[in-house]
Amino acid sequence: MRRIASRAGRARRDFLKLAGGGMAALSLPGAAAHASGSRVRSLKAAPAQAPIGAPQYSPARVWAYNGSVPGPVLRVRQGDTVRVQFQNWLPQPSTLHWHGIRIRNDMDGVAGLTQPAVPPGEIFDYSFTVPDAGTFWYHPHNRTWEQLARGLYGALIVEERNPPEVDRDLVLMFDDWRLDKDGQIHDASFGSLMDWAHAGRLGNWLTVNGRSEPEIAVTKGERLRLRLINACNARVLSLGFADHLPLLVALDGQPIPPRPAEHGVITLAPAQRADVIVDMEQDPGSRSPIKDVSQRKQINAMHFVYDADQVKREAPLASSVRLPGNPLPRRLDLAGALNADLVMEGGAMGRMSYATFEGKRLSMRELAEKRMVWALNGIVGRTSTPLIEAPRGRTVTMKMVNATSWPHAMHLHGHHFRVIERDGKPVPHGPWRDTVLLRRGENLRVAFVADNPGKWLLHCHMVEHQASGMSTWIRVKG
Ligand code: C2O
Ligand code: CU
């Protein structure tokens, strides 16, 4: 077992100084790393430039993995051991978190909970196996509200041993950026209390795979598997497929019985993923968008552009696209479960007048001065004791009550859970998820088997809310 050296006698076994130490420019490989199995690869987080904005602007100064936004797509096989050397060339400490992977705890990358943040100029070696096939992603877990918004994210794709038959498998990472009038990241608003107490940092510029309205060339008759990932800090996307009908086959990396998306629209809260199968059935030469239809003013995200003369096949493939199941612990023992409540409070237009922060009971005004304005069960931010301590293998249910005026995307690390009740009514056969959206005033009961030992964060993935108090953790013993 690799252990993180303790603060006291830190042996520098895990943090190695980068050669040269400084923030020198790196020579950077392209974006499409395809790597297999246990080959070691590195992710270098560093300042870079990326053409995310409109063509009239110079490239934006971003922070990126290996020089590209998104970072390289890491593709591995189910059951593989992934080894990534993380190099921090940023001006501040960082980590890598592997979102949605049922990972061993010491590789989860949560600064201050599972490891110390990796200082600038140092290295951390991540190594873990991937039990589930599916669509996952990686991002920093230190000052995520800034580092994610500056462009630090990438996809981690775990391929099935027997994938369904498709012509192409594409990753589409959606992000909304807040750009200033020169097409640069709006710096002045980082940490704005206005954002933190409201919806979070919402952008004004939408990209897919780091480009504004990219075009994907397709051929009539092709079958695509699209892996949709919401990498926004705080925006809930509703992706409308216009002329195409996406068939949902997985959510948050976990297979579901295939079903057409309702009205052709897929809602993704921050950090959520959906795998869809889309048959390209429009006429050669046609053009069709995917839009964010969450606002009255719909925004084009990208376009499918059909080849003018080629036809791949006249009728869509008939084969089934049901994904093989993952080895999740599915047997929920609700009768013997450990039950907890999670009351979410605070934010603007809320009713919270007091909450406890760092052991002190503070008024909302005092909390606002500290920019800590959200509470879980009356407590602001992570405490030294966990919300729940569960023996390994125990079923846990948690009733999440959104007593705020805002939506929240609650994410549990190291496990997938199922929604079993919504607003007091049973939900049969809910999908397994790692992130769930609670609309304002909504309440949900989720259930999972606490089978992964360690300290696991539970937080809102609207990352400004997380930073501003909406974060706790659970401990699984064993
Ligand atoms: Cu995607 Cu706690 O993170
Ligand atoms: Cu939230």
Side-chain angles (χ1 to χ4, degrees):
M1 279 277 274
R2 267 172 110 262
R3 294 218 335 274
I4 310 302
S6 72
R7 279 247 166 249
R10 198 157 92 201
R12 294 280 154 153
R13 199 165 55 93
D14 300 289
F15 290 167
L16 306 170
K17 276 279 176 218
L18 289 169
M23 305 297 298
L26 301 161
S27 63
L28 302 159
H34 182 111
S36 64
S38 53
R39 205 185 80 212
V40 179
R41 69 207 93 161
S42 57
L43 285 177
K44 298 169 192 157
Q49 301 207 333
I52 55 170
Q56 68 266 31
Y57 297 126
S58 34
R61 292 180 295 276
V62 298
W63 290 353
Y65 294 114
N66 296 6
S68 69
V69 175
V73 176
L74 305 181
R75 273 190 185 266
V76 299
R77 270 299 170 86
Q78 184 171 19
D80 276 356
T81 298
V82 180
R83 292 178 216 281
V84 173
Q85 182 183 75
F86 171 58
Q87 301 185 6
N88 185 4
W89 299 83
L90 300 170
Q92 55 180 245
S94 190
T95 62
L96 278 176
H97 168 59
W98 313 94
H99 183 113
I101 301 287
R102 295 187 299 122
I103 200 169
R104 48 184 273 197
N105 192 245
D106 60 351
M107 292 290 128
D108 200 38
V110 179
L113 187 70
T114 66
Q115 69 169 94
V118 182
E122 300 197 11
I123 283 173
F124 188 91
D125 293 314
Y126 289 93
S127 165
F128 54 91
T129 56
V130 285
D132 300 328
T135 301
F136 303 95
W137 65 301
Y138 57 90
H139 63 74
H141 223 298
N142 190 51
R143 289 175 67 91
T144 317
W145 50 275
E146 177 181 6
Q147 297 187 3
L148 182 63
R150 289 193 187 278
L152 290 168
Y153 56 82
L156 171 57
I157 304 304
V158 184
E159 293 177 342
E160 294 86 12
R161 293 197 188 90
N162 297 301
E165 184 189 4
V166 297
D167 296 301
R168 277 189 293 162
D169 177 329
L170 302 174
V171 175
L172 301 177
M173 290 195 92
F174 295 79
D175 189 11
D176 70 331
W177 304 73
R178 188 179 293 176
L179 300 183
D180 64 18
K181 59 178 186 355
D182 302 316
Q184 295 294 328
I185 292 175
H186 196 277
D187 269 300
S189 56
F190 275 116
S192 137
L193 177 63
M194 188 68 183
D195 289 339
W196 288 30
H198 291 75
R201 183 182 175 94
L202 299 175
N204 53 12
W205 189 258
L206 185 64
T207 61
V208 181
N209 294 351
R211 297 287 184 278
S212 165
E213 287 191 59
E215 297 184 339
I216 294 190
V218 297
T219 311
K220 181 178 160 84
E222 259 193 307
R223 173 169 286 182
L224 305 184
R225 176 180 187 167
L226 303 178
R227 301 171 181 269
L228 313 172
I229 304 175
N230 183 346
C232 298
N233 274 38
R235 184 179 295 277
V236 178
L237 296 168
S238 290
L239 301 173
F241 276 67
D243 311 308
H244 295 97
L245 185 60
L247 187 71
L248 276 164
V249 295
L251 293 169
D252 293 353
Q254 301 300 344
I256 59 168
R259 61 173 164 87
E262 242 175 280
H263 310 296
V265 173
I266 294 165
T267 295
L268 289 181
Q272 288 187 324
R273 289 89 65 212
D275 285 40
V276 299
I277 303 289
V278 190
D279 288 317
M280 295 288 120
E281 296 184 278
Q282 300 299 304
D283 293 330
S286 59
R287 186 182 160 89
S288 168
I290 297 181
K291 298 178 187 194
D292 173 32
V293 300
S294 62
Q295 313 286 312
R296 178 107 44 82
K297 184 171 169 290
Q298 305 191 345
I299 300 168
N300 282 333
M302 52 164 282
H303 304 268
F304 295 112
V305 179
Y306 279 74
D307 189 285
D309 351 271
Q310 305 285 326
V311 172
K312 174 112 189 168
R313 38 181 99 73
E314 286 300 341
L317 282 171
S319 53
S320 153
V321 286
R322 201 186 179 101
L323 300 176
N326 279 326
L328 281 177
R330 290 161 198 280
R331 194 162 305 139
L332 296 169
D333 170 20
L334 295 178
L338 204 62
N339 303 306
D341 287 339
L342 191 74
V343 180
M344 305 147 72
E345 290 176 297
M349 294 176 272
R351 286 184 309 262
M352 186 169 91
S353 40
Y354 287 90
T356 301
F357 176 55
E358 292 177 339
K360 287 201 208 72
R361 193 171 131 88
L362 300 180
S363 71
M364 193 62 182
R365 226 202 35 222
E366 292 167 305
L367 291 167
E369 279 162 16
K370 298 179 186 298
R371 285 191 298 142
M372 298 300 287
V373 294
W374 302 93
L376 296 172
N377 294 348
I379 296 172
V380 177
R382 213 157 75 203
T383 50
S384 55
T385 49
L387 172 76
I388 300 170
E389 245 185 305
R392 186 176 188 175
R394 187 85 179 264
T395 296
V396 174
T397 83
M398 214 184 305
K399 184 175 180 192
M400 300 178 173
V401 178
N402 182 359
T404 79
S405 298
W406 303 90
H408 301 284
M410 295 306 288
H411 169 47
L412 174 64
H413 286 213
H415 298 79
H416 276 71
F417 54 78
R418 162 176 268 179
V419 174
I420 57 169
E421 239 175 67
R422 184 178 300 272
D423 291 331
K425 292 189 209 71
V427 175
H429 315 298
W432 293 94
R433 304 212 69 139
D434 58 51
T435 307
V436 70
L437 179 63
L438 287 98
R439 306 280 182 183
R440 57 184 289 181
E442 193 172 39
N443 67 68
L444 299 177
R445 185 179 289 281
V446 304
F448 60 97
V449 181
D451 71 330
N452 196 356
K455 300 171 171 182
W456 302 107
L457 211 61
L458 169 64
H459 65 89
C460 180
H461 219 291
M462 280 127 178
V463 289
E464 289 72 26
H465 295 172
Q466 173 195 354
S468 184
M470 229 180 216
S471 180
T472 184
W473 60 289
I474 69 168
R475 197 164 94 86
V476 180
K477 291 182 280 198

